[in-house]
Amino acid sequence: MATHAQAASHDAHDHKPHGWRRWVFSTNHKDIGTMYLVFSCVMFFVGGTMALIIRAELFQPGLQFVDPQFFNSMTAMHALVMIFGAIMPGWVGLANWLIPMQIGAPDMALPRLNNLSFWILPFAFVLLLGTLFVPGGAPAGGWTMYPPLALQAGDSFPMMIFAIHLMGISSILGAINVVVTVMNMRAPGMNLLKMPLFVWTWLITAYLLVAVMPVLAGAVTMLLTDHFFGTSFFTASGGGDPVMYQHIFWFFGHPEVYIMILPAFGVVSEIIPTFSRKPLFGYESMVYATAAIGFLSFIVWAHHMFTVGMPLAGQLFFMLATMLISVPTGVKIFNWCATMTRGSLSFEPPMLFALAFLFLFTIGGFSGLMLAIVPADFQYQDSYFVVAHFHYVLVPGSLFAIMGAVYYWLPKWVGHMYDMKLAKLHFWLSAIFVNVLFFPQHFLGLAGMPRRIPDYATQFADWNMVSSIGAFGFGFSQLLLPYIIIKCVKAGAKAADRPWDGAHGLEWELPSPAPFHSWEVPPSAAVIARGAEH
């Protein structure tokens, strides 16, 4: 009897839900990671459609397709959807898939919390996108929601605030899960300085998330009470200060930029050594540089605000602190270049995206350095130069790194290889059109074109037309990505156990063993022992 009871209990324990239940009630880190990545992809196309509406309107001077109110709603919604709906869930999806496997853990530490943190997101974005259908339209005060403009929104205002609260809760829960998993569930023998760099970058990102998301929650809650309950935090007529909102918002906003880029550093640090057949150069310096970037991101927020009338001492401090943050970033760039130096390079799709990241992210970094210089920033402030700068950091930066990560790990995830020719075509179309789209915006900004305007003077017409052509080329070329993935899952050739080794002639050509911090599978005891010897 006992044996039968044990068997029944064992069967019940082993029973895995099928169909929709598998996804709705999932506590499996791989399933949840997949849901995050699919959600990220859907939001990427939603936000991309909004971007195409913006670029269609700016194709030539005059008002063509949408009224100015809707245009401003599109700029605000595009940013919120891309940041909170596409980039951040994309990174959380990769964290769910990879962190347990890379540290030798069976799953994330808090599986039910993991499920909850994902399922909050669809409801948050139904609320956010629902603002497009209420009287008065979606908020048109920009994604930064500066008062007093943001306080003039109609019925959509509280919906947007609540949606942002939900996104923040989801991010905080996901970050707590990462911290607890990494700190408590590493395989025996793996100390912190033996973790893969992707895990390190995500650990630091998780601490940033826990620190700054409540700051955003506080800022938008004060906006809400100003709007509905008669407080005057940011209302000048009641003794409040609109500039205080900017300080609070950017204290969240600048670490948020690094939340979106740090995991990209981790991904690139995994891809470049593999396709260079060399261990990563300067592993420990990369870890310390990542930590330094995380720390410095908290003390540079007011470089977004050089034109608000802050004292000269404040301008100098934030200028120098912003310049300082380029030092650890430069360490990373040089280490990636050193990894490739005299390596046996091959250029599969993940490596192509990593190299594009390296080159184009550096362009974004240099334009950021230009913006850090106070007297120059007085000219660039709120111009298209700023738009070009942050898109160079976020699109060829965060987005290309996510795509490179998907192309790198997809064969391990689904057991099939994807179509290399199509993947390379996707890369080249993306790399060419992303520059056609964003590089002319530097010229527009230097010539004096303001951002967030639906109409413009005729001297800006030519470069706007080029930029819009680039936008449609880039947007439509992204349709290749889901096609390549679906084709791979359904009909791809079987992948080798180590897809980037023998199957494509990518053996490690080194007298020393492969680096112990580049696992594609949970480490065995022998591998951990080898790492301990290092």
Side-chain angles (χ1 to χ4, degrees):
M1 283 299 290
T3 312
H4 281 298
Q6 283 169 350
S9 154
H10 187 261
D11 287 345
H13 181 70
D14 271 4
H15 174 68
K16 289 183 181 156
H18 293 288
W20 62 271
R21 288 174 178 276
R22 170 185 169 183
W23 302 100
V24 173
F25 301 120
S26 178
T27 52
N28 178 311
H29 71 101
K30 295 178 181 178
D31 286 350
I32 294 171
T34 302
M35 290 195 293
Y36 266 113
L37 288 167
V38 169
F39 179 82
S40 166
C41 188
V42 170
M43 286 295 119
F44 172 58
F45 283 105
V46 171
T49 304
M50 294 172 176
L52 293 185
I53 292 170
I54 293 166
R55 287 312 324 172
E57 181 57 59
L58 294 174
F59 186 75
Q60 58 189 29
L63 296 174
Q64 275 82 235
F65 302 108
V66 295
D67 63 82
Q69 164 77 16
F70 187 74
F71 180 91
N72 289 343
S73 295
M74 284 293 99
T75 59
M77 298 290 279
H78 164 71
L80 289 168
V81 167
M82 286 302 202
I83 291 169
F84 294 106
I87 300 293
M88 288 171 68
W91 285 130
V92 179
L94 287 166
N96 264 294
W97 254 104
L98 299 171
I99 288 175
M101 293 199 288
Q102 289 191 326
I103 65 172
D107 203 310
M108 296 294 278
L110 306 163
R112 290 185 187 279
L113 193 73
N114 207 5
N115 177 284
L116 177 66
S117 63
F118 171 76
W119 282 110
I120 288 171
L121 279 179
F123 294 98
F125 280 89
V126 165
L127 258 182
L128 184 67
L129 297 172
T131 60
L132 291 164
F133 303 100
V134 299
W143 83 280
T144 53
M145 299 165 283
Y146 281 176
L149 184 60
L151 297 174
Q152 294 166 10
D155 297 344
S156 60
F157 183 72
M159 290 172 67
M160 180 176 72
I161 301 294
F162 190 43
I164 288 168
H165 274 300
L166 288 175
M167 296 171 206
I169 291 166
S170 170
S171 297
I172 291 168
L173 297 182
I176 290 169
N177 213 344
V178 169
V179 172
V180 177
T181 304
V182 173
M183 293 315 234
N184 293 326
M185 297 183 67
R186 298 191 305 279
M190 179 186 277
N191 64 32
L192 288 173
L193 284 174
K194 290 201 179 82
M195 297 194 308
L197 259 170
F198 180 74
V199 181
W200 254 117
T201 53
W202 237 111
L203 179 64
I204 292 164
T205 300
Y207 278 112
L208 292 183
L209 274 167
V210 172
V212 302
M213 292 311 291
V215 177
L216 176 66
V220 297
T221 303
M222 286 191 275
L223 273 182
L224 198 70
T225 60
D226 274 10
H227 191 67
F228 290 107
F229 299 107
T231 57
S232 295
F233 292 111
F234 310 126
T235 312
S237 59
D241 182 6
V243 174
M244 182 174 76
Y245 175 84
Q246 295 190 31
H247 279 290
I248 300 170
F249 179 87
W250 286 115
F251 187 80
F252 146 80
H254 203 78
E256 168 65 24
V257 174
Y258 288 94
I259 285 163
M260 290 188 281
I261 202 65
L262 285 181
F265 294 163
V267 162
V268 171
S269 301
E270 303 270 332
I271 292 172
I272 287 179
T274 298
F275 295 95
S276 303
R277 303 347 171 275
K278 279 178 65 185
L280 182 71
F281 180 88
Y283 167 82
E284 285 196 27
S285 65
M286 294 290 259
V287 171
Y288 296 133
T290 308
I293 290 169
F295 170 73
L296 290 170
S297 71
F298 282 98
I299 57 168
V300 295
W301 76 88
H303 68 209
H304 297 267
M305 303 167 51
F306 282 145
T307 55
V308 301
M310 72 173 77
L312 183 61
Q315 292 179 347
L316 280 171
F317 171 81
F318 286 108
M319 177 172 80
L320 295 172
T322 305
M323 290 174 160
L324 186 63
I325 209 167
S326 65
V327 175
T329 312
V331 168
K332 289 181 162 299
I333 303 286
F334 283 117
N335 280 13
W336 290 322
C337 292
T339 303
M340 291 185 287
T341 302
R342 301 185 68 187
S344 177
L345 274 66
S346 65
F347 300 101
E348 269 67 17
M351 184 62 160
L352 291 172
F353 275 103
L355 290 173
F357 168 93
L358 198 58
F359 182 65
L360 299 174
F361 174 78
T362 304
I363 291 177
F366 280 132
S367 61
L369 209 49
M370 294 168 69
L371 289 161
I373 300 165
V374 174
D377 186 78
F378 272 52
Q379 307 301 317
Y380 307 141
Q381 179 80 18
D382 280 333
S383 75
Y384 255 85
F385 190 86
V386 180
V387 178
H389 155 68
F390 68 73
H391 280 94
Y392 260 90
V393 173
L394 287 178
V395 181
S398 297
L399 184 63
F400 274 26
I402 290 173
M403 290 174 180
V406 169
Y407 281 130
Y408 184 55
W409 279 292
L410 188 65
K412 290 300 294 183
W413 292 345
V414 302
H416 300 281
M417 287 306 294
Y418 46 82
D419 187 323
M420 285 288 164
K421 285 186 178 171
L422 271 183
K424 287 183 178 178
L425 176 67
H426 174 227
F427 165 75
W428 285 112
L429 288 173
S430 299
I432 290 164
F433 280 120
V434 83
N435 286 291
V436 176
L437 165 55
F438 294 120
F439 208 82
Q441 294 179 6
H442 291 103
F443 310 147
L444 291 168
L446 292 174
M449 180 172 168
R451 62 198 280 195
R452 294 179 182 166
I453 54 169
D455 191 9
Y456 53 85
T458 50
Q459 70 259 33
F460 304 129
D462 292 349
W463 286 123
N464 265 303
M465 186 175 288
V466 171
S467 185
S468 290
I469 291 167
F472 280 88
F474 182 76
F476 288 119
S477 62
Q478 298 319 303
L479 294 169
L480 278 169
L481 180 63
Y483 174 74
I484 291 166
I485 294 170
I486 292 165
K487 183 182 173 193
C488 168
V489 172
K490 286 190 169 178
K494 191 169 178 353
D497 284 344
R498 294 179 61 84
W500 302 118
D501 278 1
H504 292 275
L506 299 187
E507 297 294 350
W508 289 88
E509 298 173 1
L510 291 171
S512 58
F516 55 85
H517 44 69
S518 287
W519 290 310
E520 292 175 318
V521 291
S524 65
V527 174
I528 292 166
R530 190 177 81 210
E533 287 165 17
H534 280 253

